[in-house]
Amino acid sequence: MALDKEMFKKELKQRLRENYAMELEDATEQELFYTLGTLVKARYSDAWGDTWKYYVNKKKKQVYYFSIEFLPGKMLKSNLLNLGILDMTREALADLGIDLEKLAEVEKDMALGNGGLGRLASCFMDSIASCALPGNGNGIRYDYGLFKQRFVDGYQVELPDEWLQSGNIWEVRRESKAVNVRVGGHVYLTKTNNGKLKPIYENERVLRAVPYDTAMVGYENNVVNTLRLWSVEIPDFEEDKYQSIQGRRELEDLTAVLYPDDSNEHGRLIRLTQEYFFVSAGIQSIIRRYKKRIQKPIQKLSEYVSIHINDTHPALCVPEMMRILVDEEDLSWEQAWDITVKVMSYTNHTIMAEALEKWTIELMRRTLPRMYQIIEEIDARYVRSMQEIHPHDLVERTRIIRDGQVHMAHLSIIGSHSTNGVAKLHSDLLKFVVLHDFYIIYPDRFNNKTNGIAQRRWLQIVNEPLAHVLDETIGKTWKQDSGDLKLLMNYQSDQVVLDRLAKAKKINKQALADYIAETTGIEVGTDAIFDVQIKRLHAYKRQLLNLLHIMKLYQDLKENPGSNMQKRVFIFGAKAAPSYHYAKVIIKCINEAANLINNDPDINDRIKVIFLENYNVTLAEKIIPAADVSEQISLASKEASGTSNMKLMLNGAVTLATLDGANVEIRDAVGDDNIYIFGLTEKEVYEYYENQGYSAQQLYDENPVIRRVLNAFIDGTIPNIVYEGREIFDSLIKHNDEYFLLRDFDSYVRAQEEIDKAYGDHTFWQRMSLINIANAGRFSSDETVRRYAEDIWKIEPKDSLVAEKG
Ligand SMILES: *Cc1c(COP(=O)(O)O)cnc(C)c1O
């Protein structure tokens, strides 16, 4: 039933009385937020139950997206939007003297992920539901999300993220769906009467996995899917084994914290147990539902279930499915293997060697003995079957167990029917370089699925001024079909539309300027170029290259104060993994350079450097609508796709990029004239690797600009970085600049000079911005998940798309 403003107000007051025995005027924002949350939940609970029943009754094939990270951010406004009641709610609350934005601020940012990988999983959850596709997420309910970042004296300090402290309104604990997961101990195989091998477990630990479900509400389509996150508990029958507080704590630690490392594997025992815990719980619950609700023979599983392995962290899906099919369902190995490969698919997210997940045999055997036995068998059979058709070397290089280690990417490829990369360039690198051996063996398994973003969140919700201009200019169909953003191309020479877009951007820049003033005390003007680099801090992403350019501008201005360059505000947002020393050194240097520049009277506010603390989804939502320039400057070949590049483009920022990841496809979408490309290509980078011809020292000796900039790190120009500056200097000169910053420096500076010129011509700039918005539709994750659904998962949308609006 439709909800109008008057009903809404009545219901809100009534719920407030029921929940808190309170009247509106006495309630705090916290109480109002929770009350509004219960109201929103009530709006989707019927659809949630109905969606689930529909999938079961129609025996719809479903996909389960396994990911060790999800990064949804805040969900209030997204749920309101998708239920079709965002505007009504805002107005109704305003009538009551309540600001929706204030209530939305109360919600904790759900940060159960590090960065791009987890955010992608959450964009997919939104899009799967919004495309009416039968799909669910499966992950871990960490008690503590990604750490909170503070700067103290310019250094990063990490604080715990107690996101559950005041409860989580969106989750539903489902005690009745708990399952047990066995880890540790020993497993022996004995022969049963009918000659089959049966595993006997000894001294294993039993963990109780309790699911917490969160509704994934589709956009105005009455579809509500489920994100299921698992939490560990002590099973009742094991209570007496956990007498000591320490023993209990050790077990409960399993789902306590998210590993705060991005693109780096630590190989720690608890991480491997985490991986098995959510994989085993998830697969057990899938099989249980299949048997109870679908009631088809287990041999037909792949017709009803698809499981996606998001990066290698859930790679144990392969042996765990084998365990259940062979040990518990009594299938033959061959039958079980056939089913497993058909059910599983895998996405590769990186080619960085240090991020490729491996576990020592010793650790795997000790932690997960039955898993290890099954992996050994998979590996042995793989070698046997492949050595008949392929050269020995090739088989050895691709096997799962080699050099005393279990290779999780190999397990994922061998145990699934599809391996995809996340941008065209990345998928080609997989096929022809990084995973070329596997491509020879399984050419049909490789495919590309370029990443995408949930454009509802990243435009409609976060950038209302722009959404409003779009509605006025091209109508509202772009909200259902992001391809219709293209209609904006008809207005690229329409001065009125260009002015409106500029005005919307100005409003967003003012909002960010206010936030900057509030949080840092620094005033920035909206007439400056807002130049944004927001992403995890990592050497390959080259925030340091950005800093080198800033230092060059600073030195230019000191020398020539009369220069007529545009004003710039350089904005950074980035967390460094707590154990990533070099990344933390870069943070310190940026902060000290910012201090120097922001307070130098000679600079006279021509450049400002703002490093905002605690980059997360909520902060991204504030920065992105205000950006003029999107810095996507990773060394070519290193960034698999990137997604902040897409978010910024959609919001009218002009991209300054290397030809890396999805930047290549952004260039194809907007054309060379509406993007600033610089730097080595992926081919040139690989050529340097081959001929070893790179000398950073030579560039330093021959290029006076580079020399002056680098010297600033060691001659006291930037204060308070005696050790850090030396470390930066040495990494570039002594250790020969692993990511070719100095090689790309000149061409980066030239691209920045072009941007400076272009920004001076307002119409020219605004047209570029328009063309970026107009061509961003192809990066909608709706499109991405539809391609996964058709090519990989083989699932179909719920047929009735007729919306009965909330
Ligand atoms: C989109 C997003 C990312 C990914 O950014 P990249 O620049 O693609 O690495 C990381 N963190 C957050 C909070 C995001 O919203």
Side-chain angles (χ1 to χ4, degrees):
M1 196 175 45
L3 185 64
D4 68 25
K5 263 186 0 182
E6 292 317 310
M7 285 161 61
F8 173 92
K9 290 187 223 169
K10 213 170 124 207
E11 191 180 334
L12 189 76
K13 288 180 195 165
Q14 189 185 330
R15 283 179 181 277
L16 190 64
R17 277 195 296 271
E18 285 167 8
N19 292 344
Y20 293 101
M22 252 183 185
E23 300 301 323
L24 267 185
E25 46 281 10
D26 303 319
T28 63
E29 274 159 7
Q30 179 86 17
E31 288 152 350
L32 286 169
F33 166 74
Y34 275 94
T35 305
L36 178 57
T38 60
L39 188 153
V40 171
K41 276 168 81 171
R43 294 306 297 173
Y44 64 61
S45 58
D46 283 350
W48 200 2
D50 292 347
T51 302
W52 183 80
K53 254 184 248 148
Y54 172 90
Y55 294 156
V56 166
N57 291 342
K58 298 269 170 170
K59 302 199 191 303
K60 281 288 215 181
K61 184 175 184 184
Q62 297 193 46
V63 66
Y64 297 86
Y65 195 85
F66 278 55
S67 180
I68 204 161
E69 300 190 1
F70 287 91
L71 197 52
K74 300 186 186 194
M75 278 182 289
L76 176 64
K77 284 209 265 175
S78 168
N79 282 338
L80 288 170
L81 178 82
N82 288 6
L83 289 169
I85 56 173
L86 177 58
D87 292 338
M88 183 277 294
T89 300
R90 191 195 313 276
E91 288 166 23
L93 287 173
D95 288 353
L96 301 170
I98 302 164
D99 181 357
L100 172 63
E101 298 307 316
K102 283 273 176 311
L103 299 198
E105 270 174 31
V106 171
E107 184 175 355
K108 291 283 198 307
D109 183 296
M110 186 174 173
L112 308 187
N114 274 288
L117 176 99
R119 184 54 228 171
L120 183 78
S122 285
C123 282
F124 280 11
M125 287 298 108
D126 181 320
S127 284
I128 289 171
S130 295
C131 294
L133 289 163
N136 310 286
N138 189 77
I140 297 175
R141 179 180 177 272
Y142 303 101
D143 300 325
Y144 296 89
L146 185 62
F147 66 86
K148 265 201 261 177
Q149 179 195 53
R150 291 284 169 263
F151 296 141
V152 175
D153 295 334
Y155 292 106
Q156 168 175 296
V157 174
E158 301 102 24
L159 302 172
D161 169 41
E162 297 174 331
W163 75 290
L164 285 170
Q165 207 172 34
S166 35
N168 170 9
I169 183 79
W170 308 118
E171 69 184 11
V172 180
R173 179 183 162 92
R174 297 215 194 268
E175 191 99 39
S176 66
K177 306 267 194 255
V179 298
N180 292 332
V181 175
R182 288 178 294 189
V183 301
H186 296 278
V187 177
Y188 302 102
L189 296 177
T190 58
K191 269 222 168 71
T192 59
N193 294 337
N194 57 15
K196 281 202 144 191
L197 289 174
K198 210 167 173 58
I200 308 292
Y201 290 72
E202 251 184 36
N203 298 324
E204 80 275 22
R205 272 201 310 167
V206 182
L207 313 174
R208 187 171 146 85
V210 182
Y212 289 73
D213 288 353
T214 301
M216 296 288 117
V217 181
Y219 180 58
E220 297 188 350
N221 65 0
N222 278 317
V223 170
V224 181
N225 292 332
T226 301
L227 170 61
R228 173 161 286 183
L229 302 179
W230 298 92
S231 182
V232 74
E233 290 182 13
I234 297 167
D236 289 343
F237 60 86
E238 296 256 299
E239 274 289 349
D240 49 339
K241 278 197 199 163
Y242 295 92
Q243 301 280 343
S244 76
I245 290 182
Q246 200 195 336
R248 298 183 76 91
R249 191 150 300 150
E250 232 172 75
L251 177 131
E252 285 161 359
D253 273 354
L254 184 63
T255 53
V257 287
L258 162 78
Y259 271 72
D261 227 312
D262 188 66
S263 311
N264 212 347
E265 283 306 326
H266 272 312
R268 293 271 324 284
L269 177 136
I270 185 167
R271 171 75 165 195
L272 182 61
T273 310
Q274 276 187 344
E275 292 181 358
Y276 183 61
F277 175 76
F278 92 100
V279 159
S280 177
I283 294 194
Q284 286 186 60
S285 86
I286 291 167
I287 298 288
R288 185 158 74 180
R289 178 188 286 189
Y290 178 75
K291 289 168 74 170
K292 190 163 162 199
R293 303 288 175 181
I294 306 290
Q295 297 179 336
K296 295 278 181 187
I298 196 77
Q299 285 84 350
K300 291 194 177 296
L301 187 71
S302 68
E303 293 173 29
Y304 300 93
V305 169
S306 172
I307 292 178
H308 200 81
I309 299 172
N310 187 36
D311 211 330
T312 56
H313 321 115
L316 291 169
C317 280
V318 173
E320 177 64 2
M321 182 61 88
M322 288 300 289
R323 183 188 70 77
I324 291 177
L325 296 180
V326 172
D327 292 356
E328 294 182 1
E329 300 299 324
D330 278 331
L331 294 189
S332 72
W333 183 278
E334 292 77 10
Q335 264 184 320
W337 184 248
D338 182 57
I339 294 168
T340 299
V341 171
K342 278 189 185 139
V343 166
M344 302 295 164
S345 51
Y346 156 62
T347 296
N348 173 288
H349 283 271
T350 180
I351 63 165
M352 303 280 290
E354 64 266 36
L356 289 181
E357 204 185 1
K358 301 181 200 88
W359 297 97
T360 63
I361 291 175
E362 195 275 321
L363 185 73
M364 181 76 81
R365 187 188 268 149
R366 176 156 51 89
T367 318
L368 307 169
R370 185 63 187 138
M371 285 296 98
Y372 184 69
Q373 288 170 347
I374 292 172
I375 292 169
E376 248 186 336
E377 184 67 22
I378 295 171
D379 181 60
R381 285 175 185 248
Y382 172 77
V383 172
R384 247 182 280 146
S385 67
M386 287 304 165
Q387 69 193 7
E388 291 168 15
I389 27 185
H390 293 293
H392 178 75
D393 281 8
L394 179 66
V395 178
E396 279 301 310
R397 285 199 303 269
T398 53
R399 63 186 296 180
I400 300 164
I401 303 173
R402 53 186 302 241
D403 308 331
Q405 291 185 311
V406 181
H407 292 245
M408 304 303 264
H410 298 194
L411 176 61
S412 306
I413 298 167
I414 292 168
S416 67
H417 66 279
S418 168
T419 293
N420 74 278
V422 289
K424 282 180 193 157
L425 175 71
H426 170 63
S427 295
D428 283 344
L429 277 168
L430 292 182
K431 283 203 289 200
F432 302 116
V433 185
V434 187
L435 298 176
H436 186 62
D437 288 338
F438 282 105
Y439 183 57
I440 294 172
I441 293 177
Y442 303 120
D444 300 336
R445 289 190 182 180
F446 283 80
N447 64 94
N448 172 248
K449 296 284 170 286
T450 300
N451 282 168
I453 55 170
Q455 301 198 335
R456 285 167 291 281
R457 175 178 290 264
W458 294 109
L459 202 173
Q460 278 195 66
I461 295 178
V462 309
N463 195 344
E464 287 184 8
L466 175 56
H468 196 67
V469 176
L470 292 174
D471 285 350
E472 281 183 347
T473 311
I474 58 172
K476 298 189 176 185
T477 56
W478 61 274
K479 292 178 171 170
Q480 285 292 348
D481 179 359
S482 55
D484 281 354
L485 287 171
K486 263 253 152 82
L487 296 170
L488 198 58
M489 286 300 274
N490 298 328
Y491 300 88
Q492 54 181 296
S493 307
D494 186 326
Q495 196 58 50
V496 176
V497 171
L498 293 176
D499 287 346
R500 278 191 197 144
L501 288 171
K503 215 164 133 196
K505 180 62 79 181
K506 189 134 195 139
I507 294 171
N508 296 326
K509 285 170 81 167
Q510 189 56 56
L512 181 60
D514 293 345
Y515 179 80
I516 290 172
E518 207 177 287
T519 51
T520 68
I522 300 169
E523 301 285 338
V524 300
T526 57
D527 52 339
I529 303 175
F530 279 23
D531 183 326
V532 166
Q533 189 174 18
I534 42 172
K535 49 190 71 253
R536 281 302 281 257
L537 202 311
H538 205 293
Y540 84 82
K541 291 177 183 275
R542 303 201 295 189
Q543 280 93 352
L544 181 56
L545 177 58
N546 192 341
L547 178 60
L548 296 184
H549 169 249
I550 292 170
M551 285 311 297
K552 177 195 178 284
L553 289 185
Y554 171 73
Q555 291 171 330
D556 288 350
L557 273 176
K558 289 290 272 189
E559 210 171 68
N560 175 17
S563 134
N564 59 358
M565 65 168 265
Q566 299 290 328
K567 285 188 181 176
R568 281 234 205 186
V569 182
F570 292 95
I571 297 162
F572 291 91
K575 286 178 183 172
S579 62
Y580 191 175
H581 173 75
Y582 186 66
K584 291 178 138 180
V585 165
I586 293 173
I587 288 180
K588 169 72 170 168
C589 290
I590 296 174
N591 278 326
E592 291 300 338
N595 240 336
L596 168 72
I597 295 168
N598 296 342
N599 297 310
D600 187 330
D602 292 349
I603 298 307
N604 196 18
D605 297 346
R606 303 291 291 280
I607 342 177
K608 291 277 179 202
V609 182
I610 309 292
F611 200 149
L612 291 169
E613 284 174 321
N614 202 35
Y615 180 58
N616 60 10
V617 171
T618 304
L619 184 56
E621 291 173 355
K622 294 192 205 311
I623 297 173
I624 289 170
D628 293 310
V629 174
S630 161
E631 300 260 1
Q632 308 298 334
I633 61 178
S634 55
L635 175 65
S637 79
K638 298 297 182 229
E639 189 74 270
S641 163
T643 48
S644 77
N645 46 2
M646 301 168 184
K647 298 168 197 166
L648 285 155
M649 169 198 195
L650 178 66
N651 282 273
V654 175
T655 308
L656 166 56
T658 51
L659 285 176
D660 200 13
N663 301 345
V664 179
E665 288 157 75
I666 291 177
R667 195 252 339 239
D668 294 346
V670 301
D672 286 312
D673 294 343
N674 300 295
I675 189 168
Y676 293 86
I677 298 291
F678 75 97
L680 295 170
T681 61
E682 154 265 333
K683 276 209 180 62
E684 290 165 336
V685 170
Y686 273 87
E687 272 165 31
Y688 270 124
Y689 291 151
E690 247 154 62
N691 65 28
Q692 307 264 307
Y694 181 58
S695 167
Q697 177 77 53
Q698 192 183 343
L699 287 169
Y700 177 80
D701 292 339
E702 292 172 1
N703 185 326
V705 180
I706 287 179
R707 203 160 54 242
R708 193 179 60 170
V709 167
L710 290 202
N711 288 349
F713 287 79
I714 49 172
D715 65 9
T717 304
I718 309 175
N720 306 322
I721 54 161
V722 176
Y723 298 105
E724 292 83 6
R726 172 53 65 178
E727 202 166 334
I728 294 294
F729 187 89
D730 285 350
S731 73
L732 297 176
I733 301 305
K734 242 198 198 155
H735 305 296
N736 203 28
D737 184 15
E738 185 178 357
Y739 296 102
F740 300 94
L741 280 72
L742 303 188
R743 178 66 180 75
D744 280 351
F745 180 79
D746 265 347
S747 98
Y748 181 58
V749 167
R750 262 179 279 126
Q752 287 282 25
E753 284 165 358
E754 276 186 56
I755 284 175
D756 182 84
K757 246 190 286 156
Y759 194 79
D761 181 342
H762 289 298
T763 302
F764 178 80
W765 185 269
Q766 204 48 60
R767 182 179 303 130
M768 271 200 297
S769 171
L770 174 148
I771 291 171
N772 273 270
I773 299 165
N775 290 285
R778 70 163 82 177
F779 300 108
S780 162
S781 49
D782 292 357
E783 278 308 303
T784 313
V785 301
R786 279 195 197 104
R787 279 181 233 123
Y788 275 92
E790 282 173 26
D791 301 346
I792 301 176
W793 302 331
K794 313 287 184 199
I795 57 169
E796 285 173 353
K798 184 168 180 279
D799 23 53
S800 150
L801 271 168
V802 195
E804 187 216 319
K805 288 212 182 169

